[in-house]
Amino acid sequence: MYPLNIYIKEILWRIYYCILGLVAIFIISFYYIELIFLFEIFPFIKLSHKKFIATHITELFDSVLQTCFSMVSINGFPLVTYHIFTFFISSWFNYQITLMRYYLLFLSFSFFFSFSFTNIFLLPKMFSFFTQWETVQKNVMVHVGLETRIFLYTQWINCTYNSISFFCSLLLLFLFLILLFITPLKLYFFTKLYKKQILFAIILVLFILLPPDLWVQLLLVFSSFLLLELLFFMSCFIFIQVSYPSIL
């Protein structure tokens, strides 16, 4: 048997396992859709006891499908990543395998951290900011009443999860590319000279994208400062390790 046929057979089996796993995740998500809905609407119902409405039956069905596909993309990522990693691992060097393992580990941590942070802290603050129009208005001529549609809510929630997760993954990828393709000396002097400017740019972008809540802004400032200090610490450590190997 030719090596090409072996690789084709292996990749076909891996594609079959991935499809089978994704279909199983979709079926399980569809079966437990009520619990998934409860998890997604929990940040909103903590603030009020409003009901969700659906104007027609197809809208509710679209909400279920959208949520199931979102669960497939979230829970199927480790499975697909595992099969891709194990398929190409035989042609990589040891340092490439180690680097990819560290990257996937930090990527998984970044994803679960952003997911938990969004659902536990960020979304309740955002809903508190958006729903204050209904709770604080007194003695006004026009009263604003809020009604939440289940389809638009789930669509917005999934977009929020994906956007924040993509932003965190992009920052992580940017950090890995800096560590790989920039010399330790240039990285050290760049972070040392332009640390304040980088911190200001990151905070400015985050303040524009996210709602003006005090606790959210304080947490963003602290997280940005901690991330930048971590980058500076890594640049110092790599610079000392390369320039003065006898010290370590």
Side-chain angles (χ1 to χ4, degrees):
M1 183 178 293
Y2 295 102
L4 181 61
N5 296 333
I6 298 176
Y7 286 118
I8 292 176
K9 185 177 180 180
E10 181 183 359
I11 196 172
L12 289 178
W13 275 106
R14 293 188 182 277
I15 292 174
Y16 169 75
Y17 288 139
C18 289
I19 295 176
L20 187 63
L22 296 179
V23 171
I25 294 173
F26 182 86
I27 295 174
I28 295 174
S29 301
F30 187 83
Y31 185 78
Y32 293 101
I33 191 62
E34 294 182 358
L35 296 177
I36 298 174
F37 274 156
L38 179 61
F39 177 79
E40 289 191 340
I41 67 177
F42 179 73
F44 184 77
I45 62 177
K46 280 202 310 184
L47 303 175
S48 64
H49 299 283
K50 288 183 172 296
K51 297 180 180 180
F52 289 86
I53 62 173
T55 55
H56 44 83
I57 190 63
T58 56
E59 184 175 347
L60 183 60
F61 182 69
D62 291 339
S63 303
V64 173
L65 289 181
Q66 180 179 240
T67 305
C68 289
F69 281 116
S70 177
M71 291 296 104
V72 168
S73 63
I74 293 174
N75 298 288
F77 173 75
L79 176 65
V80 177
T81 304
Y82 168 77
H83 284 286
I84 295 176
F85 180 74
T86 53
F87 179 76
F88 290 103
I89 194 174
S90 60
S91 60
W92 289 352
F93 294 103
N94 290 331
Y95 78 92
Q96 293 175 321
I97 298 173
T98 304
L99 181 64
M100 184 57 63
R101 285 177 177 172
Y102 277 113
Y103 176 72
L104 292 177
L105 179 63
F106 283 111
L107 183 63
S108 301
F109 175 77
S110 172
F111 172 77
F112 287 110
F113 173 78
S114 61
F115 190 81
S116 302
F117 167 76
T118 304
N119 193 76
I120 297 174
F121 184 81
L122 183 60
L123 288 179
K125 293 295 182 180
M126 295 177 69
F127 292 145
S128 176
F129 173 77
F130 289 140
T131 56
Q132 67 179 348
W133 291 96
E134 190 178 27
T135 57
V136 302
Q137 51 185 342
K138 296 179 180 178
N139 299 325
V140 295
M141 297 181 61
V142 179
H143 290 271
V144 178
L146 302 177
E147 292 184 352
T148 309
R149 294 173 57 184
I150 184 65
F151 176 73
L152 296 179
Y153 178 83
T154 54
Q155 187 179 29
W156 185 81
I157 285 292
N158 293 328
C159 290
T160 304
Y161 285 147
N162 295 332
S163 300
I164 296 178
S165 178
F166 173 76
F167 181 73
C168 295
S169 302
L170 189 63
L171 286 179
L172 183 62
L173 180 62
F174 181 70
L175 178 63
F176 265 78
L177 291 178
I178 288 177
L179 296 178
L180 284 176
F181 296 103
I182 298 181
T183 58
L185 182 62
K186 291 182 178 180
L187 179 61
Y188 170 75
F189 283 109
F190 180 80
T191 53
K192 182 179 180 180
L193 295 176
Y194 300 102
K195 184 167 59 175
K196 296 181 180 179
Q197 291 82 349
I198 297 174
L199 181 63
F200 175 78
I202 294 175
I203 295 176
L204 179 62
V205 172
L206 292 177
F207 277 16
I208 294 174
L209 296 178
L210 297 177
D213 184 81
L214 176 62
W215 295 107
V216 173
Q217 292 179 350
L218 290 177
L219 183 61
L220 290 176
V221 172
F222 176 75
S223 302
S224 302
F225 179 78
L226 185 63
L227 180 64
L228 193 59
E229 290 297 328
L230 179 62
L231 177 62
F232 182 68
F233 173 76
M234 293 179 63
S235 65
C236 294
F237 180 77
I238 296 175
F239 174 70
I240 294 176
Q241 188 178 20
V242 173
S243 302
Y244 307 99
S246 60
I247 298 179
L248 301 177

